[in-house]
Amino acid sequence: MNQNILDPTEFIDRATTLMKSSYVFTRRIISALYFSLFNYWAYKTFHDQGIKGKGPNHDKFDHKDFSRTLIENNLGPQIVLLYKYRVLVDHYLLDPNIIEVWDKEVAKIIREDKIKVNINESILEKIINSAKEILNWLKYNY
Amino acid sequence: MAVITQKEQNNMNISLAFITQKETISKKFDEIEQLSSWLNANYNSSIKELIDELIKQSLLIRLRRYTGEATIEKLSEIANSEGLPFLTELLNLLDDLREKYGKYGGPYLDCVFDDETGELMYFVAIFQDAGWEEWKEIESYLKLKQTYTKKYLTTLCLKAFRE
């Protein structure tokens, strides 16, 4: 299997041009950006680094390990932003919605207007740029 | 088994006294840490484990300034595998972030889970009023200071979602 077969460079370029064409495209492409990077990371982990995952073929990897790898390598804001929005578009329906704060005691401290978010032009730019920064790191440094 | 001198017995009594004075553990942290090293060098591992547990509880009590009980439980689980340096560094980092970036409304410590499996992914230090540029700055500052928490702790700046 070609080492670069899951390199999402072209996908990300083409997908981001379609991102604003309709609301369904926007939501689905946010999710696809995340998963294209996750797949690429898993593929490089398996092939380039020789690390075994789970499952009968040892090719199933955890999202937590993907995130932790990026966090460890100075891409915390990029993966946190992308993951939070990926969860919003895959698991929640309403827009605007809220960024979930898990710890109830912390959630009580933070005002609701601080966690209310929507999908707008500005956030799409941040998501696209974050995806590209993660891609570059995976491509050239991982 | 080594014979325990009166002086050593006295030192052990001091360590046991800490057990019954949980509320003062926080203040005695430095002494306990030194005592732990001394016990580690001179006595068996069970005493070391006991003292380590006291230090761990002391650190968790201090971390309550930044988060709720549910997150403390998760931190305790990670500390079991990563050891005390994880908690010590985390507390120092949060103190440091509060001093330097407290103007941005934080940090408050929260957990992020894998939405499909329910597994803990990482911890986030939340700032309510920091935007995208400040987020990157805070993260860069954090990363320079991390060793034991590097893959577990990142930041989450809520204003970046609303800009």
Side-chain angles (χ1 to χ4, degrees):
Chain A
M1 204 169 175
N2 186 323
Q3 294 286 308
N4 295 319
I5 200 164
L6 288 179
D7 179 347
T9 305
E10 189 188 351
F11 171 77
I12 288 174
D13 281 343
R14 292 173 66 178
T16 50
T17 62
L18 296 170
M19 206 169 187
K20 295 165 192 170
S21 54
S22 84
Y23 189 57
V24 173
F25 270 66
T26 303
R27 291 178 67 104
R28 290 300 86 227
I29 288 171
I30 290 172
S31 179
L33 289 177
Y34 173 83
F35 277 102
S36 70
L37 293 164
F38 173 66
N39 274 182
Y40 187 41
W41 165 81
Y43 197 82
K44 291 196 82 168
T45 301
F46 186 76
H47 277 287
D48 298 359
Q49 315 237 355
I51 295 170
K52 287 183 177 178
K54 297 173 182 170
N57 294 320
H58 306 291
D59 61 344
K60 183 185 174 201
F61 290 85
D62 288 343
H63 292 270
K64 77 169 189 298
D65 293 326
F66 174 50
S67 293
R68 287 177 186 179
T69 302
L70 297 174
I71 286 167
E72 198 173 5
N73 288 282
N74 302 336
L75 289 159
Q78 292 85 344
I79 191 58
V80 170
L81 181 87
L82 189 56
Y83 188 76
K84 287 285 183 187
Y85 265 87
R86 175 261 138 175
V87 168
L88 270 184
V89 298
D90 283 339
H91 292 282
Y92 295 80
L93 301 177
L94 301 180
D95 181 14
N97 214 306
I98 59 161
I99 293 294
E100 192 178 352
V101 176
W102 175 76
D103 192 301
K104 288 187 168 53
E105 290 176 67
V106 176
K108 274 184 192 170
I109 293 167
I110 295 172
R111 279 174 32 204
E112 197 176 324
D113 62 315
K114 306 281 185 186
I115 51 173
K116 199 171 182 180
V117 300
N118 60 8
I119 300 170
N120 56 35
E121 287 271 340
S122 168
I123 209 74
L124 289 182
E125 288 306 313
K126 290 189 186 92
I127 288 170
I128 291 166
N129 290 335
S130 295
K132 287 180 176 174
E133 286 174 46
I134 293 169
L135 172 65
N136 278 337
W137 184 81
L138 288 173
K139 206 167 174 177
Y140 301 111
N141 298 103
Y142 184 62
Chain B
M1 191 176 167
V3 176
I4 299 173
T5 65
Q6 186 59 47
K7 189 180 174 188
E8 287 166 338
Q9 181 64 53
N10 290 342
N11 283 327
M12 283 180 71
N13 289 340
I14 291 167
S15 72
L16 293 173
F18 286 135
I19 302 165
T20 55
Q21 295 176 32
K22 266 193 166 180
E23 66 278 11
T24 64
I25 285 170
S26 188
K27 293 173 193 164
K28 294 284 184 189
F29 177 72
D30 292 338
E31 290 96 323
I32 292 173
E33 198 166 38
Q34 287 164 16
L35 184 59
S36 174
S37 302
W38 182 82
L39 285 166
N40 193 31
N42 293 283
Y43 291 102
N44 61 40
S45 61
S46 61
I47 296 175
K48 169 73 166 57
E49 283 165 15
L50 181 66
I51 298 299
D52 280 354
E53 182 58 27
L54 291 174
I55 296 170
K56 180 182 164 187
Q57 294 306 322
S58 166
L59 289 164
L60 292 174
I61 288 166
R62 289 173 168 205
L63 283 160
R64 278 292 266 122
R65 281 182 245 158
Y66 298 103
T67 192
E69 201 53 45
T71 301
I72 292 291
E73 281 180 28
K74 296 293 170 191
L75 289 172
S76 178
E77 288 170 20
I78 297 287
N80 287 340
S81 59
E82 295 296 315
L84 290 177
F86 170 82
L87 290 180
T88 308
E89 182 176 285
L90 178 65
L91 180 61
N92 288 338
L93 287 169
L94 291 171
D95 286 346
D96 204 13
L97 287 174
R98 182 176 62 177
E99 192 178 324
K100 194 166 169 65
Y101 297 109
K103 60 188 173 187
Y104 295 123
Y108 299 106
L109 195 65
D110 193 32
C111 303
V112 175
F113 293 88
D114 181 330
D115 237 64
E116 275 82 18
T117 65
E119 269 188 304
L120 174 70
M121 297 171 79
Y122 47 84
F123 298 96
V124 283
I126 300 176
F127 290 88
Q128 301 186 73
D129 300 316
W132 187 237
E133 291 311 312
E134 294 86 13
W135 191 351
K136 289 188 170 181
E137 183 194 325
I138 296 169
E139 184 74 17
S140 298
Y141 178 78
L142 179 68
K143 280 289 163 271
L144 287 175
K145 293 179 166 284
Q146 287 180 297
T147 304
Y148 302 102
T149 61
K150 204 168 183 179
K151 66 177 178 180
Y152 292 109
L153 177 66
T154 183
T155 46
L156 170 55
C157 294
L158 293 171
K159 195 179 164 190
F161 294 79
R162 309 189 305 274
E163 286 173 325

